[in-house]
PDB file of all heavy atoms in Angstrom:
ATOM      1  N   MET Q 280     -11.577 151.143 -61.598  1.00  0.00           N
ATOM      2  CA  MET Q 280     -11.018 150.612 -62.896  1.00  0.00           C
ATOM      3  C   MET Q 280     -12.049 150.977 -63.992  1.00  0.00           C
ATOM      4  O   MET Q 280     -11.664 151.220 -65.097  1.00  0.00           O
ATOM      5  CB  MET Q 280     -10.787 149.095 -62.760  1.00  0.00           C
ATOM      6  CG  MET Q 280      -9.631 148.747 -61.827  1.00  0.00           C
ATOM      7  SD  MET Q 280      -9.373 146.967 -61.623  1.00  0.00           S
ATOM      8  CE  MET Q 280      -8.838 146.488 -63.205  1.00  0.00           C
ATOM      9  N   HIS Q 281     -13.301 150.851 -63.701  1.00  0.00           N
ATOM     10  CA  HIS Q 281     -14.324 151.177 -64.692  1.00  0.00           C
ATOM     11  C   HIS Q 281     -14.211 152.628 -65.135  1.00  0.00           C
ATOM     12  O   HIS Q 281     -14.334 152.952 -66.325  1.00  0.00           O
ATOM     13  CB  HIS Q 281     -15.744 150.915 -64.145  1.00  0.00           C
ATOM     14  CG  HIS Q 281     -16.815 151.005 -65.224  1.00  0.00           C
ATOM     15  ND1 HIS Q 281     -18.073 151.257 -64.861  1.00  0.00           N
ATOM     16  CD2 HIS Q 281     -16.762 150.798 -66.596  1.00  0.00           C
ATOM     17  CE1 HIS Q 281     -18.760 151.264 -65.987  1.00  0.00           C
ATOM     18  NE2 HIS Q 281     -18.020 151.000 -67.054  1.00  0.00           N
ATOM     19  N   LYS Q 282     -14.025 153.544 -64.162  1.00  0.00           N
ATOM     20  CA  LYS Q 282     -13.874 154.981 -64.468  1.00  0.00           C
ATOM     21  C   LYS Q 282     -12.642 155.173 -65.308  1.00  0.00           C
ATOM     22  O   LYS Q 282     -12.683 156.003 -66.298  1.00  0.00           O
ATOM     23  CB  LYS Q 282     -13.795 155.722 -63.212  1.00  0.00           C
ATOM     24  CG  LYS Q 282     -13.633 157.264 -63.365  1.00  0.00           C
ATOM     25  CD  LYS Q 282     -13.390 157.909 -62.019  1.00  0.00           C
ATOM     26  CE  LYS Q 282     -13.127 159.407 -62.240  1.00  0.00           C
ATOM     27  NZ  LYS Q 282     -12.983 160.101 -60.958  1.00  0.00           N
ATOM     28  N   THR Q 283     -11.550 154.478 -64.993  1.00  0.00           N
ATOM     29  CA  THR Q 283     -10.273 154.611 -65.747  1.00  0.00           C
ATOM     30  C   THR Q 283     -10.448 154.058 -67.228  1.00  0.00           C
ATOM     31  O   THR Q 283      -9.953 154.598 -68.189  1.00  0.00           O
ATOM     32  CB  THR Q 283      -9.074 153.922 -65.036  1.00  0.00           C
ATOM     33  OG1 THR Q 283      -9.042 154.412 -63.777  1.00  0.00           O
ATOM     34  CG2 THR Q 283      -7.805 154.097 -65.815  1.00  0.00           C
ATOM     35  N   LEU Q 284     -11.210 152.967 -67.276  1.00  0.00           N
ATOM     36  CA  LEU Q 284     -11.452 152.333 -68.637  1.00  0.00           C
ATOM     37  C   LEU Q 284     -12.145 153.269 -69.496  1.00  0.00           C
ATOM     38  O   LEU Q 284     -11.788 153.399 -70.682  1.00  0.00           O
ATOM     39  CB  LEU Q 284     -12.243 151.019 -68.344  1.00  0.00           C
ATOM     40  CG  LEU Q 284     -12.553 150.217 -69.705  1.00  0.00           C
ATOM     41  CD1 LEU Q 284     -11.301 149.709 -70.346  1.00  0.00           C
ATOM     42  CD2 LEU Q 284     -13.606 149.096 -69.377  1.00  0.00           C
ATOM     43  N   ILE Q 285     -13.120 153.917 -69.058  1.00  0.00           N
ATOM     44  CA  ILE Q 285     -13.932 154.918 -69.909  1.00  0.00           C
ATOM     45  C   ILE Q 285     -13.073 156.109 -70.159  1.00  0.00           C
ATOM     46  O   ILE Q 285     -13.046 156.621 -71.303  1.00  0.00           O
ATOM     47  CB  ILE Q 285     -15.184 155.314 -69.060  1.00  0.00           C
ATOM     48  CG1 ILE Q 285     -16.110 154.176 -68.863  1.00  0.00           C
ATOM     49  CG2 ILE Q 285     -15.871 156.531 -69.793  1.00  0.00           C
ATOM     50  CD1 ILE Q 285     -17.353 154.591 -67.987  1.00  0.00           C
ATOM     51  N   GLU Q 286     -12.169 156.469 -69.252  1.00  0.00           N
ATOM     52  CA  GLU Q 286     -11.302 157.627 -69.484  1.00  0.00           C
ATOM     53  C   GLU Q 286     -10.314 157.417 -70.586  1.00  0.00           C
ATOM     54  O   GLU Q 286     -10.053 158.350 -71.334  1.00  0.00           O
ATOM     55  CB  GLU Q 286     -10.662 157.913 -68.119  1.00  0.00           C
ATOM     56  CG  GLU Q 286      -9.460 158.947 -68.210  1.00  0.00           C
ATOM     57  CD  GLU Q 286      -8.546 158.830 -66.968  1.00  0.00           C
ATOM     58  OE1 GLU Q 286      -9.098 158.756 -65.794  1.00  0.00           O
ATOM     59  OE2 GLU Q 286      -7.359 159.006 -67.182  1.00  0.00           O
ATOM     60  N   ILE Q 287      -9.684 156.245 -70.721  1.00  0.00           N
ATOM     61  CA  ILE Q 287      -8.594 156.045 -71.588  1.00  0.00           C
ATOM     62  C   ILE Q 287      -9.102 155.357 -72.928  1.00  0.00           C
ATOM     63  O   ILE Q 287      -8.279 155.182 -73.856  1.00  0.00           O
ATOM     64  CB  ILE Q 287      -7.524 155.109 -71.009  1.00  0.00           C
ATOM     65  CG1 ILE Q 287      -7.997 153.703 -70.734  1.00  0.00           C
ATOM     66  CG2 ILE Q 287      -6.943 155.840 -69.730  1.00  0.00           C
ATOM     67  CD1 ILE Q 287      -6.865 152.765 -70.204  1.00  0.00           C
ATOM     68  N   SER Q 288     -10.421 154.971 -72.995  1.00  0.00           N
ATOM     69  CA  SER Q 288     -10.797 154.294 -74.221  1.00  0.00           C
ATOM     70  C   SER Q 288     -11.569 155.185 -75.194  1.00  0.00           C
ATOM     71  O   SER Q 288     -12.105 156.290 -74.772  1.00  0.00           O
ATOM     72  CB  SER Q 288     -11.783 153.164 -73.808  1.00  0.00           C
ATOM     73  OG  SER Q 288     -11.095 152.272 -72.952  1.00  0.00           O
TER      74      SER Q 288
END
Side-chain angles (χ1 to χ4, degrees):
M280 291 177 68
H281 190 206
K282 179 182 176 182
T283 303
L284 180 65
I285 294 171
E286 170 196 321
I287 67 175
S288 301

